[in-house]
Amino acid sequence: MTEHGPKRHAKNPLQRTRLPLLPPSARSRRAHGLTLAAASGRFMLQCCAECGRYAYPARDACPHCLSEDLPFRDAPPRGELLSETTIQVTSDPYFRDHMPFRSGLVKLDCGPVAVVGLHRACGGPGSQLELSLQIDRAGQAVLFAKPLLETPDMENDPQWRELTAHPKDRRVLISDGRSPVALPLAKALARAGASKIFVGVFDRWKPFETEVAFDAIDGVECVDLDLTSERSVQDLARDIGAKVEILVNTADHVRPSHLFDAGLTNSAREAMDVTVMGLMRLAQAFGPIMRVRGADGFAGAVAWVNVLSVHGLSSQPKFGVQSAAHAACLSLSHWLRGELRQGGIRVINSFCGPLDTEWYQTVPPPKVDPRSLADAIVDGLIRGLEDIYVGDVAKDIEARLFDNPKAVEREAGR
Amino acid sequence: MSGYILGALAAALAHGSVRVVDLTLTLSPDFPTIVMPPELGQSAPFRMERISHYDVKGPAWYWNNISFGEHTGTHFDAPIHWFTGRDLPLNSVDTLPPADMIGPACVIDCSKQADEDADFLLGIDHILAWEQVHGRIPQRSWVLLRTDWSKKSGAAYANLQSDGAHTPGPEVEGIRFLVEERGILGFGTETIGTDAGQAGHFSPPYPAHHYLHGNGRYGLQCLANLDLLPPTGALIFAAPLKIQNGSGSPLRVLALVQERSTG
Amino acid sequence: MVSPRARQNYDGVVLAVPVTVPYQRYSIETAHWWMGRALRALADGAGISHRDFDGFSTASFTMGPDTAIALTQHFGISPRWIDHIALGGAAGIVAIRRAARAVQAGDAEIVACVAADTNQVDTFRKTVANFSRFAQDASYPYGAGGPNASFALIARHYMDRYGATREDFGKLCVAQRENALKSSHALMKKPLTLEQYMSARAIAEPFHLFDCVMPCAGAEGFLVMREDSARGLGLPFVRLLSAIERHNAFPDDPVQERGGWLMDRDELYGMAGARPEQMDFVQTYDDYAIISMMQFEGLGFCGIGDGPQFVRQHTFTTDGSFPHNTSGGQLSAGQAGAAGGHLGITEAMRQLMGIAGGTQVKDAKLGLVSGFGMINYDRGLASAAAILARA
Ligand SMILES: [Zn+2]
């Protein structure tokens, strides 16, 4: 049971808020293969298509056979620590704020030797380690090693915390409490240690049965928030903008329709207003303050999560308006990502297949339980992902898009 | 003659013996709108987005873009709003005869009944009882149903339950009587519709809309301050925006009320 | 595999006019300025115009975007042979090797070899951040510790594997400081005790403050020519007996524990007709004491892994059993960027010319200089060495 009152130390009002700095972000184009893998939590390194040997750091020719065919392939995320150091002094401004920094040289099970960030729970040289590719504050992939077995409070390691967006001791805003995912999400965030969860509710004059359930969760507070109203969004930001370290935009507007339906543009406008324009209003109101709070202590602002439909990646005719709206949200999210990166804020997109809720009543299974979506979002925050694919449909579309986007388009709605 | 009447009116307004009562609610983003099943088309709520505020987008001026559905806030329903009135002449707000924008009002006070029963319905018996006291409702006059509902706000105002809204309105025969037997100009309420919240279950559904508009009459809803009007004698100014082929519009509704003569 | 054949010797190739432009911790000047000073000193030392240098070899990290060709116009020279050697700490030896072949072949008569770097307030950070593609992609983003962090990983492994201790590293550092106090060129003017070394603040474990070189601005230079030319100009000189270089040696060693010297040292001593124990002094590339120990091993002064034992058995001051980095090395003189690879060469020339002043090793006839450089990712890639002899 958590004790009441904020665990976070109230800030000294006489102290300046530290401004966010970014770790070194220059990378070769080839190295972005690691970024791609890290975004979705995969461990992939270049593997020569001719001789089958792995290579690292990223390069343009295989050092064993000079093949140019060096695709990124999943690799076993294990290795042995060869040597380590704890850096106390650096000339880089970001790392100066994050000294000491433990790093090590790891012999990967798949062959190459890599410089990695080391979790403080790792043993010394000779230890077996579990590796992952992580997106750092600058949005770039870095290797990080943890011990094979979990130890208590692993999430508190300062280096690891910089590479993730753990909700622990952080304050979260869920933008749409009427979304089916909002309640399980609030519960999952509370379980993960979020110190406060604001839940936005639009049209408070309409019944809101789940309010009781929200109120029963420790740390939850329902607040007025209507994403279609500039004033509403701005007013809430004025109130709590400086208290939001993680923002989860759960707003959606699902209405099955046909492209030739009369009056479609009206419902499309509503959908766009809630989703695309809603995201833009949220970004305008909460983006600036979150961006300057990226280094505001142990629990500074850290992540922005967009709960999107996987059909934003490839239109689903029956839900064409939603598909188009989410495609626009996806584009907007990339814009937002570019802006928030300057403050080290991670923009996470979760792509979900159809939920097992009313609007998808006629859609055959498999469908996603909103609780699974909520858990996946919290898992994504804890692991520091950037793209989360939730449910079999989303994973299927992800894989097929990777394989052949045209085929996905032709097969849509079959 | 007219010069004499208007001059006297102007003097009375200046003197205060004729008061102007504003029957309009403020248009604001969080004011409830009519709720339809979500798969149906929805009326857009009032929204305001800033163009500039003495800033880089307009250094010396402040202005906004606003948007709303035709049936938002205190608003006017024209006959074309309902299928029963679709073929009538002059049935949209732009063709509305200007003379119909000004008319006398009878105010039927049902605030007690509405307070006790949100589903209160105005029947013929209530109308006849009112006429017993105040006299027969004149032709071409507005009948305004006073429920004091406008004093509520938010959820209490919308009063949505799992089976829909529960707000007072006219009974089928009551509205039919007013339209067909009394020839009223229109019917006004303090709630979100001219019909009761549960009127979708009536036969015909939504009788106020059905009969008012089918007979070329008008509706006013989301009115306020009806408690400041006398049962008879008030003059209503209700001029909707001149929207081409419009079915209704938000508007400012004013009432002229003559102070009771002390002499 | 190409079959090995005997290399041509360096008979008749000499080095003259050792030049050191006094180092500064920070400089507002550019690398070009420092290089200009070195070139001027070379011309003055040779008693000829700088326009008479028909060969010109440069090394620098901070000269960008210019290379040797741009500098010909900058300095008003018209050489017929130029070279720009981007090999960091190995650049000095490699410059000698290439210049020697040029003068032997007649492609040039007098090659001015200069290395210069400035150290403005943000120079070091920028150099480290943009050092190489692999460093940028795969080592700098891990704490941005620069070479300190990279060599710390190598040092820690060497300590674990061969039992080296901080005291061993300290012994070399303290001895070099003792040498530096006798040198006119060294930036470090205060004595250093082992206690001070041991208790200094940590930089990147196992390295503490005195394990790390101090980046500074400076320039080094010398002339390479034929013996005939030197005699014609009336210049004192030293002879080049042999020189080797090797790059990316032992790529399969998971952690670097040996440099490329091991692959070529037989040739080094064979060409020189000398043995390790005949060296009167050794100038290693001492970006870290651990790297000096790898050079002792790789160049045959002790067996692989015997570095710690070797350090414990010897003394390293100018009057010690193994005179080493007699000018104080980079650890005490400062690391003037790419000029760090030339520092040992000019010092060796002075020793063999008998003009080393306070640091003079008695009766020095043969000296070994080695270079090491370019920590491209997890290890230094370039190793080189030369044996010089008194004329
Ligand atoms: Zn290969």
Side-chain angles (χ1 to χ4, degrees):
Chain A
M1 189 66 200
T2 57
E3 54 188 5
H4 254 285
K7 268 196 287 182
R8 49 190 305 131
H9 296 291
K11 193 159 155 184
N12 180 347
L14 298 180
Q15 237 162 34
R16 168 183 175 274
T17 300
R18 296 203 71 120
L19 290 180
L21 294 163
L22 298 184
S25 63
R27 295 289 192 282
S28 66
R29 168 166 285 195
R30 195 67 69 174
H32 286 308
L34 304 169
T35 313
L36 179 69
S40 53
R42 294 169 74 172
F43 188 74
M44 300 171 87
L45 299 174
Q46 280 180 303
C47 181
C48 178
E50 287 186 40
C51 74
R53 295 168 77 171
Y54 281 91
Y56 182 85
R59 63 191 73 204
D60 301 321
C62 171
H64 306 291
C65 73
L66 284 190
S67 168
E68 62 175 331
D69 195 0
L70 278 174
F72 284 83
R73 295 253 166 85
D74 288 306
R78 290 284 169 88
E80 181 186 325
L81 186 63
L82 299 174
S83 184
E84 66 158 310
T85 183
T86 300
I87 302 169
Q88 308 280 355
V89 176
T90 174
S91 51
D92 178 81
Y94 168 84
F95 281 116
R96 270 178 66 98
D97 278 356
H98 295 87
M99 292 283 110
F101 186 95
R102 190 178 181 206
S103 79
L105 209 51
V106 172
K107 170 80 174 163
L108 301 171
D109 284 5
C110 61
V113 171
V115 176
V116 306
L118 278 182
H119 194 284
R120 66 186 177 194
C122 294
S127 306
Q128 295 297 310
L129 303 174
E130 162 128 359
L131 289 127
S132 61
L133 277 163
Q134 299 291 143
I135 303 274
D136 71 8
R137 285 270 186 168
Q140 306 293 5
V142 289
L143 286 162
F144 193 77
K146 293 197 285 185
L148 296 188
L149 296 175
E150 288 276 319
T151 59
D153 295 328
M154 276 196 84
E155 69 274 12
N156 288 342
D157 176 72
Q159 281 174 242
W160 176 240
R161 194 161 164 93
E162 275 295 286
L163 299 175
T164 65
H166 205 295
K168 189 178 177 188
D169 294 336
R170 287 194 163 106
R171 296 168 292 189
V172 187
L173 169 63
I174 299 174
S175 68
D176 178 10
R178 294 184 189 271
S179 154
V181 75
L183 182 62
L185 183 59
K187 289 179 178 169
L189 286 165
R191 276 198 303 275
S195 60
K196 177 94 191 177
I197 302 163
F198 299 103
V199 177
V201 185
F202 65 87
D203 288 352
R204 288 300 280 274
W205 51 273
K206 285 180 187 164
F208 183 46
E209 291 87 356
T210 38
E211 182 150 16
V212 184
F214 277 115
D215 288 344
I217 306 169
D218 209 24
V220 168
E221 180 184 340
C222 289
V223 293
D224 288 346
L225 178 59
D226 186 340
L227 295 193
T228 67
S229 165
E230 185 179 49
R231 193 183 71 168
S232 168
V233 179
Q234 294 280 355
D235 280 357
L236 185 67
R238 286 178 183 117
D239 249 5
I240 66 163
K243 297 178 180 171
V244 174
E245 282 100 27
I246 297 174
L247 190 152
V248 188
N249 184 15
T250 53
D252 200 1
H253 191 277
V254 192
R255 300 290 182 273
S257 53
H258 188 278
L259 183 55
F260 302 149
D261 282 349
L264 177 67
T265 53
N266 268 323
S267 77
R269 184 180 294 112
E270 284 165 26
M272 296 287 176
D273 199 29
V274 171
T275 54
V276 189
M277 299 305 292
L279 174 55
M280 192 175 284
R281 292 185 190 100
L282 270 179
Q284 289 212 310
F286 287 87
I289 178 69
M290 285 181 75
R291 188 167 71 176
V292 297
R293 292 193 57 245
D296 190 5
F298 184 70
V302 70
W304 181 299
V305 185
N306 297 307
V307 182
L308 301 178
S309 163
V310 72
H311 295 307
L313 297 172
S314 172
S315 176
Q316 165 71 357
K318 201 182 281 181
F319 297 95
V321 168
Q322 191 205 20
S323 301
H326 284 242
C329 284
L330 178 60
S331 173
L332 185 49
S333 78
H334 295 161
W335 189 8
L336 178 63
R337 184 173 281 153
E339 295 296 330
L340 292 185
R341 181 173 303 136
Q342 297 162 34
I345 310 293
R346 180 185 306 265
V347 171
I348 301 172
N349 287 330
S350 76
F351 300 99
C352 188
L355 286 170
D356 197 2
T357 57
E358 271 305 301
W359 286 110
Y360 301 99
Q361 179 217 342
T362 62
V363 176
K367 292 194 269 192
V368 178
D369 185 324
R371 282 173 300 187
S372 307
L373 173 55
D375 290 343
I377 291 168
V378 173
D379 175 65
L381 288 166
I382 289 174
R383 292 167 62 200
L385 305 184
E386 192 165 286
D387 296 323
I388 310 171
Y389 294 86
V390 188
D392 297 334
V393 171
K395 292 194 166 97
D396 175 66
I397 288 179
E398 177 201 12
R400 290 192 300 131
L401 275 176
F402 200 75
D403 184 52
N404 182 349
K406 273 292 163 198
V408 179
E409 185 191 316
R410 294 296 187 274
E411 289 162 15
R414 286 258 189 89
Chain B
M1 180 74 182
S2 67
Y4 170 71
I5 293 172
L6 291 182
L9 175 60
L13 285 165
H15 176 256
S17 59
V18 170
R19 276 187 300 122
V20 183
V21 179
D22 190 351
L23 305 185
T24 323
L25 290 168
T26 304
L27 270 179
S28 74
D30 35 17
F31 188 75
T33 51
I34 185 90
V35 174
M36 292 295 174
E39 63 275 15
L40 297 185
Q42 306 293 328
S43 175
F46 175 78
R47 288 292 181 262
M48 184 158 83
E49 310 242 333
R50 180 166 297 172
I51 305 171
S52 73
H53 190 248
Y54 328 112
D55 53 23
V56 68
K57 296 292 181 187
W61 51 95
Y62 163 63
W63 53 350
N64 304 291
N65 282 326
I66 57 172
S67 63
F68 45 79
E70 290 174 329
H71 300 262
T72 307
T74 299
H75 68 275
F76 185 96
D77 285 358
I80 200 174
H81 179 40
W82 214 251
F83 75 97
T84 51
R86 68 185 162 189
D87 296 326
L88 296 176
L90 310 180
N91 59 355
S92 55
V93 282
D94 53 329
T95 58
L96 175 72
D100 287 357
M101 299 182 199
I102 304 174
C106 299
V107 180
I108 303 178
D109 182 2
C110 299
S111 53
K112 274 207 187 71
Q113 295 95 315
D115 186 45
E116 286 158 11
D117 177 11
D119 290 318
F120 166 75
L121 298 176
L122 177 76
I124 296 177
D125 48 339
H126 298 104
I127 299 166
L128 292 176
W130 184 89
E131 288 187 333
Q132 285 280 311
V133 180
H134 303 290
R136 185 182 165 99
I137 295 168
Q139 279 215 335
R140 306 303 288 177
S141 64
W142 283 100
V143 170
L144 307 180
L145 174 62
R146 176 186 161 193
T147 53
D148 287 352
W149 206 261
S150 61
K151 298 182 187 304
K152 301 174 189 285
S153 65
Y157 186 83
N159 203 25
L160 284 169
Q161 312 293 334
S162 57
D163 58 352
H166 289 265
T167 53
E171 214 173 63
V172 175
E173 289 311 318
I175 192 70
R176 210 172 155 185
F177 176 83
L178 288 173
V179 172
E180 294 175 358
E181 304 298 326
R182 293 293 182 262
I184 60 170
L185 180 64
F187 183 72
T189 65
E190 296 180 60
T191 52
I192 292 176
T194 50
D195 269 300
Q198 292 287 304
H201 303 297
F202 298 176
S203 180
Y206 306 106
H209 288 81
H210 187 98
Y211 290 113
L212 282 169
H213 303 324
N215 289 282
R217 309 306 157 81
Y218 315 118
L220 281 171
Q221 42 253 292
C222 305
L223 293 169
N225 294 329
L226 294 188
D227 53 333
L228 302 180
L229 301 187
T232 62
L235 190 63
I236 302 293
F237 290 71
L241 298 178
K242 199 167 184 172
I243 301 166
Q244 188 172 52
N245 222 29
S247 74
S249 97
L251 77 175
R252 195 81 181 237
V253 184
L254 302 176
L256 297 187
V257 179
Q258 186 162 15
E259 289 300 307
R260 200 158 275 168
S261 167
T262 49
Chain C
M1 202 56 195
V2 182
S3 65
R5 71 192 166 96
R7 282 171 57 198
Q8 187 188 337
N9 61 34
Y10 290 113
D11 286 359
V13 177
V14 301
L15 280 62
V17 194
V19 159
T20 298
V21 182
Y23 293 2
Q24 292 173 12
R25 174 73 173 105
Y26 288 108
S27 169
I28 59 170
E29 306 294 353
T30 61
H32 306 67
W33 183 91
W34 287 93
M35 201 163 277
R37 294 306 90 213
L39 209 53
R40 174 72 173 270
L42 287 174
D44 289 352
I48 56 176
S49 164
H50 65 291
R51 292 177 199 272
D52 295 329
F53 299 145
D54 60 347
F56 183 44
S57 172
T58 64
S60 176
F61 288 114
T62 57
M63 211 165 65
D66 291 350
T67 61
I69 182 65
L71 296 184
T72 60
Q73 194 169 32
H74 199 121
F75 298 133
I77 56 177
S78 305
R80 55 178 174 152
W81 182 95
I82 62 171
D83 202 357
H84 182 78
I85 303 174
L87 287 177
I93 306 287
V94 172
I96 293 174
R97 280 166 53 91
R98 296 187 192 172
R101 294 314 185 194
V103 298
Q104 277 185 318
D107 291 345
E109 282 300 318
I110 304 176
V111 180
C113 299
V114 276
D117 267 300
T118 188
N119 190 40
Q120 299 171 349
V121 286
D122 209 23
T123 298
F124 181 72
R125 187 184 69 82
K126 286 177 181 156
T127 302
V128 170
N130 302 297
F131 195 76
S132 70
R133 176 171 148 183
F134 279 6
Q136 166 206 286
D137 280 356
S139 69
Y140 192 63
Y142 298 85
N148 290 336
S150 302
F151 282 106
L153 292 169
I154 292 169
R156 168 71 195 265
H157 170 77
Y158 184 87
M159 292 166 86
D160 288 352
R161 172 116 197 232
Y162 297 123
T165 64
R166 283 197 61 223
E167 283 83 351
D168 297 331
F169 300 153
K171 181 172 178 183
L172 287 175
C173 295
V174 167
Q176 288 190 199
R177 182 61 60 88
E178 210 168 304
N179 292 342
L181 295 177
K182 294 179 228 155
S183 163
S184 51
H185 297 303
L187 274 186
M188 306 293 184
K189 304 287 188 198
K190 280 193 225 157
L192 175 70
T193 65
L194 190 61
E195 291 67 41
Q196 286 170 323
Y197 169 91
M198 292 300 293
S199 60
R201 68 189 164 96
I203 302 294
E205 292 289 353
F207 291 156
H208 291 235
L209 185 63
F210 296 112
D211 287 298
C212 307
V213 296
M214 186 166 75
C216 63
E220 301 276 347
F222 51 84
L223 300 176
V224 176
M225 61 187 80
R226 289 177 298 110
E227 184 175 343
D228 292 352
S229 308
R231 291 194 187 282
L233 292 168
L235 296 177
F237 57 83
V238 302
R239 295 181 193 286
L240 172 64
L241 299 189
S242 67
I244 54 168
E245 67 182 271
R246 180 64 67 170
H247 307 289
N248 195 28
F250 311 114
D252 295 328
D253 287 357
V255 189
Q256 184 164 43
E257 50 192 37
R258 49 191 174 160
W261 306 282
L262 194 59
M263 294 179 74
D264 304 289
R265 69 181 186 202
D266 291 348
E267 189 179 282
L268 177 72
Y269 291 112
M271 276 182 89
R275 295 183 310 280
E277 58 271 23
Q278 290 177 291
M279 299 299 132
D280 296 308
F281 61 85
V282 172
Q283 316 285 359
T284 63
Y285 188 82
D286 63 330
D287 49 355
Y288 301 91
I290 156 84
I291 300 302
S292 294
M293 286 163 76
M294 277 190 196
Q295 285 161 83
F296 297 157
E297 296 175 5
L299 289 163
F301 297 103
C302 61
I304 291 292
D306 295 339
Q309 204 53 40
F310 182 80
V311 167
R312 289 164 206 163
Q313 284 166 354
H314 284 277
T315 53
F316 297 90
T317 49
T318 51
D319 56 355
S321 62
F322 192 87
H324 172 239
N325 289 355
T326 48
S327 68
Q330 299 180 77
L331 283 166
S332 282
Q335 181 179 58
H342 295 56
L343 171 74
I345 298 171
T346 53
E347 172 64 10
M349 289 169 71
R350 292 188 187 99
Q351 290 287 350
L352 296 170
M353 291 169 158
I355 55 169
T359 67
Q360 185 67 51
V361 175
K362 231 175 107 187
D363 212 17
K365 291 190 226 35
L366 269 182
L368 188 150
V369 189
S370 76
F372 179 72
M374 307 311 281
I375 182 132
N376 185 59
Y377 168 47
D378 62 339
R379 64 194 67 202
L381 294 184
S383 16
I387 294 176
L388 302 177
R390 191 159 80 187

